Amino acid sequence: MPPFIKQQGTERKFFIVEGQHYWYLIGTANKMENNPYSFRRFLYEDHSGSSNKYIYLTHIVLKKDSMHNSEYIAHASYCMSRLYTLDRGVSDNLLKFIHQIQQLYQDYLRPLLKKPLQQDGSAPELIIKDRMIKYEKQLSILILQKLPNIIEKTSHDLNDQDYLFYHLDRLMKQMSENIQDFRLQPLSMYSASSEIMLVKLITLRRLLTKSRDLFYEGQLSLDDDCQVMGKSLLTVKQQLDETEVSIEKLQLFKKGINKYYYLQKNGSF
């Protein structure tokens, strides 16, 4: 076996299984309780970010008889660098932060969406709106207000930046999917409040992805940063306000149509 494969295997913590014609390199599972040899892991690669910026492999198959080809060796080296070992070389503070926000998400944010919607005589939309306000407040207090400090701490290390924004993007994706699941309930399927929250999460995910270079390039002063971000946030707010008005109008139209069909069917004085 070429020495660079052994070295990478030690540094990047992947398993090496030898066959007659191939070496099978198996990356560690992204969660401790997952089986790294599970067949299910070999059916997908992990994608995150825009423009395929983050693509992490779960396994690699290398041909033994191609190890004399310099181009193939370069390709193998690149593939090994993309194995799922994101925590390699990442600072302890960042690892603790990511673990903390994932735990807060599991303990406080997700249960808010899993908790049944109890009707107390109020209109369903008011009950859902109150739940979405609590969800947004918890997200802001527990996670979002901590981001400026951790972004500043990762400003001098590219590996830390990749790790931070990969997991932030993944977390935002999970939260968007949770809201979509929440909207599958009959009571919240046509809720304007839950739809607005979904739009906010999708927008926040896009904003974090697009703003990463702005956080780290260091070419703008703090005032310039605030001005640029302020313009972006103002545009986002205007679009959200327009969307909210449109959704409210659609709800009124829907009620009018339902009333019309009810009168057609049942008659009225």
Side-chain angles (χ1 to χ4, degrees):
M1 179 180 294
F4 78 95
I5 297 181
K6 290 183 180 180
Q7 181 182 356
Q8 286 291 309
T10 302
E11 291 182 2
R12 305 191 71 83
K13 307 173 188 174
F14 57 74
F15 305 97
I16 303 173
V17 179
E18 185 174 10
Q20 184 175 357
H21 301 291
Y22 301 94
W23 283 302
Y24 302 90
L25 313 184
I26 303 171
T28 54
N30 61 337
K31 294 181 180 179
M32 291 297 293
E33 67 271 15
N34 287 358
N35 179 6
Y37 298 99
S38 169
F39 182 77
R40 188 179 302 174
R41 293 187 66 232
F42 295 88
L43 301 180
Y44 70 93
E45 298 169 359
D46 197 65
H47 294 257
S48 186
S50 60
S51 304
N52 293 332
K53 191 165 189 176
Y54 306 113
I55 302 178
Y56 295 96
L57 308 177
T58 58
H59 74 290
I60 303 169
V61 181
L62 298 180
K63 299 177 182 178
K64 287 184 175 181
D65 59 4
S66 298
M67 284 297 133
H68 63 280
N69 187 321
S70 59
E71 291 184 1
Y72 190 82
I73 291 176
H75 171 71
S77 298
Y78 173 76
C79 288
M80 282 190 288
S81 74
R82 310 311 293 173
L83 274 167
Y84 201 107
T85 50
L86 290 176
D87 59 348
R88 178 176 179 261
V90 174
S91 66
D92 290 339
N93 286 335
L94 181 55
L95 289 174
K96 290 178 182 177
F97 173 77
I98 295 300
H99 176 74
Q100 181 189 36
I101 63 172
Q102 288 173 341
Q103 198 64 46
L104 290 170
Y105 158 74
Q106 293 290 346
D107 293 345
Y108 297 100
L109 288 168
R110 198 172 182 188
L112 277 174
L113 301 179
K114 293 288 186 180
K115 185 179 177 182
L117 293 168
Q118 300 291 344
Q119 289 189 314
D120 56 1
S122 304
E125 183 61 25
L126 291 177
I127 299 172
I128 296 169
K129 186 175 182 179
D130 180 64
R131 183 73 60 87
M132 292 298 100
I133 289 173
K134 290 179 181 177
Y135 185 87
E136 186 171 359
K137 187 180 293 185
Q138 293 277 42
L139 172 61
S140 300
I141 294 173
L142 298 176
I143 297 177
L144 297 184
Q145 73 173 10
K146 299 175 182 177
L147 289 185
N149 186 40
I150 196 68
I151 287 174
E152 184 179 355
K153 290 182 178 179
T154 60
S155 60
H156 304 296
D157 192 302
L158 185 60
N159 285 334
D160 283 0
Q161 295 170 25
D162 283 344
Y163 188 82
L164 173 62
F165 276 85
Y166 169 81
H167 279 285
L168 286 177
D169 182 80
R170 188 174 179 182
L171 182 62
M172 293 300 159
K173 181 182 177 183
Q174 284 181 318
M175 288 194 291
S176 298
E177 290 171 350
N178 291 157
I179 293 291
Q180 288 175 320
D181 291 341
F182 176 79
R183 284 175 52 77
L184 292 177
Q185 300 179 67
L187 196 63
S188 59
M189 190 171 293
Y190 301 105
S191 164
S193 300
S194 59
E195 187 169 4
I196 289 170
M197 176 54 65
L198 179 60
V199 172
K200 286 182 178 180
L201 288 174
I202 293 172
T203 304
L204 179 58
R205 185 184 178 196
R206 294 278 293 169
L207 184 64
L208 284 171
T209 302
K210 286 177 173 283
S211 301
R212 176 186 166 174
D213 293 337
L214 181 65
F215 292 138
Y216 293 118
E217 65 184 2
Q219 297 176 0
L220 300 176
S221 67
L222 181 60
D223 291 338
D224 291 336
D225 284 346
C226 292
Q227 187 176 2
V228 172
M229 292 297 291
K231 289 180 180 179
S232 301
L233 291 173
L234 181 60
T235 302
V236 171
K237 185 178 183 304
Q238 289 174 344
Q239 292 177 347
L240 284 174
D241 290 342
E242 292 173 3
T243 303
E244 187 171 356
V245 171
S246 299
I247 291 174
E248 289 176 355
K249 288 182 179 179
L250 287 172
Q251 292 292 333
L252 290 175
F253 290 148
K254 182 175 178 292
K255 289 180 181 178
I257 292 171
N258 289 341
K259 183 177 181 181
Y260 171 78
Y261 282 126
Y262 176 82
L263 293 176
Q264 287 287 317
K265 182 178 179 180
N266 299 291
S268 173
F269 290 105

